[in-house]
Amino acid sequence: MSMSSAPSRPITAVAWASSTTTCPGQFTLISMTEDGTAANFTRGFGLKSGYYLCYSKDLSGGMVVSDVQVISDKDTIPHGYCYIPEFMEPKASVWKKKRVCVRMVPVDSVSTAVLDIRLTTKSKMMLQQYTCLGDMLGYVLWYMKGTFSTPPQAKPRSISLDMRKLSFDAAGPPLPLRPSNPPPAPPKISHRRSTLKEKESKDDSGHDSLNVYGITAMDGVPFVLHPKFQTQSNGKVSVVKLDDICIKSVQDIENEYHYTFTVEELAAKRSRPGMTSNS
């Protein structure tokens, strides 16, 4: 039996699931074999419940299945392989006498991987271009391995200069001055900020500069004298008269502020009434 359409996307995971309800969203459940038989694995006759094999082709994890093997419980799992996960209902289990194991590798490290997995009943039916993995509970597992192709990724679209002007993230390169491209209008600023801008100081090189860190709360406030200190003689400052100033010598100051401390001395010598009576 030949397959008309060969898959090209790689398989990224293989698992067991009790039914479509326990099967993860990114997985495809193998419910039928290639010869039209229900692919429900059971552990014995008369059991209504079982489990199904499922696989995923979701490349978001960055891993692909490079090989699949079916081993018995007496065999040692090969190096680099792992048992497939189980998405089972409560109290349900998978037959452990034969296990399915896979080898997971990064998608960028290989050029070939497992592309498809199919099941047939235990008969003489053969699948061309597929490799037989072995039998398990009356079913035969097959897989196809080959060169895979990843879905193309969207390339970034080129943005014209006119569209770049509408971007809110970052401004594009300045446009050449043309009649259709006038220079942008300066942003509107408050009256106080415009006043501060006019008071820019000049640095040592002679260029105008504004020290942002030197701005204080008093910047821009006009300097006006209080009316109390304003002169009334047509704006002229009156001359201070120095004729009544008397210059004193050191001896004059000593004589004027001389103090003998007589009162304090008499008070110290005065005896208290209690002390006089005891003596």
Side-chain angles (χ1 to χ4, degrees):
M1 182 179 179
S2 64
M3 300 292 106
S4 58
S5 59
S8 59
R9 294 181 57 190
I11 290 179
T12 58
V14 184
W16 294 110
S18 297
S19 60
T20 54
T21 57
T22 61
C23 182
Q26 300 294 339
F27 282 72
T28 300
L29 190 76
I30 305 177
S31 59
M32 299 293 293
T33 63
E34 294 302 310
D35 46 5
T37 306
N40 188 356
F41 289 80
T42 55
R43 291 183 295 174
F45 297 101
L47 296 179
K48 296 182 179 179
S49 61
Y51 46 93
Y52 299 85
L53 197 66
C54 57
Y55 61 88
S56 174
K57 292 192 174 184
D58 183 19
L59 287 171
S60 60
M63 304 291 288
V64 295
V65 177
S66 62
D67 193 25
V68 183
Q69 290 190 19
V70 177
I71 62 175
S72 64
D73 56 349
K74 297 180 181 180
D75 297 334
T76 303
I77 185 171
H79 177 71
Y81 288 71
C82 62
Y83 295 122
I84 63 176
E86 302 174 1
F87 302 97
M88 308 297 292
E89 295 177 353
K91 299 182 180 180
S93 60
V94 178
W95 190 49
K96 295 297 190 292
K97 288 189 177 182
K98 282 194 175 181
R99 307 285 295 273
V100 179
C101 56
V102 295
R103 185 172 182 263
M104 305 292 297
V105 295
V107 64
D108 298 332
S109 63
V110 292
S111 59
T112 60
V114 178
L115 305 179
D116 194 19
I117 295 178
R118 303 202 178 189
L119 298 174
T120 61
T121 55
K122 195 173 182 180
S123 62
K124 297 181 180 180
M125 183 178 182
M126 301 293 293
L127 300 181
Q128 296 183 5
Q129 301 178 358
Y130 281 73
T131 303
C132 179
L133 295 173
D135 63 284
M136 185 176 182
L137 287 174
Y139 299 99
V140 180
L141 280 70
W142 305 79
Y143 82 111
M144 176 189 289
K145 191 174 182 180
T147 305
F148 63 89
S149 61
T150 57
Q153 297 180 356
K155 296 182 179 180
R157 298 176 60 184
S158 59
I159 304 176
S160 61
L161 294 179
D162 294 335
M163 292 297 295
R164 196 174 298 174
K165 291 191 299 183
L166 302 178
S167 175
F168 292 96
D169 298 335
L175 298 176
L177 292 179
R178 297 175 181 173
S180 59
N181 298 326
K188 296 181 179 180
I189 57 177
S190 62
H191 177 70
R192 172 167 177 77
R193 186 173 180 182
S194 62
T195 305
L196 296 178
K197 190 68 177 180
E198 294 175 358
K199 294 184 177 181
E200 292 180 351
S201 59
K202 291 187 177 181
D203 53 8
D204 297 337
S205 61
H207 300 286
D208 293 339
S209 62
L210 178 62
N211 188 1
V212 179
Y213 298 98
I215 298 177
T216 64
M218 296 301 296
D219 290 340
V221 179
F223 178 78
V224 179
L225 286 176
H226 192 274
K228 177 181 177 180
F229 302 100
Q230 292 181 353
T231 60
Q232 303 297 332
S233 58
N234 298 327
K236 297 181 179 180
V237 181
S238 61
V239 181
V240 180
K241 296 182 179 180
L242 304 179
D243 299 338
D244 56 346
I245 297 178
C246 180
I247 301 177
K248 298 181 180 180
S249 62
V250 178
Q251 187 62 36
D252 295 336
I253 297 174
E254 291 289 342
N255 295 336
E256 183 177 356
Y257 296 98
H258 178 69
Y259 186 71
T260 59
F261 293 94
T262 305
V263 177
E264 287 78 4
E265 185 178 1
L266 294 176
K269 293 180 179 180
R270 187 184 304 165
S271 61
R272 297 181 182 178
M275 297 177 62
T276 305
S277 60
N278 290 336
S279 60

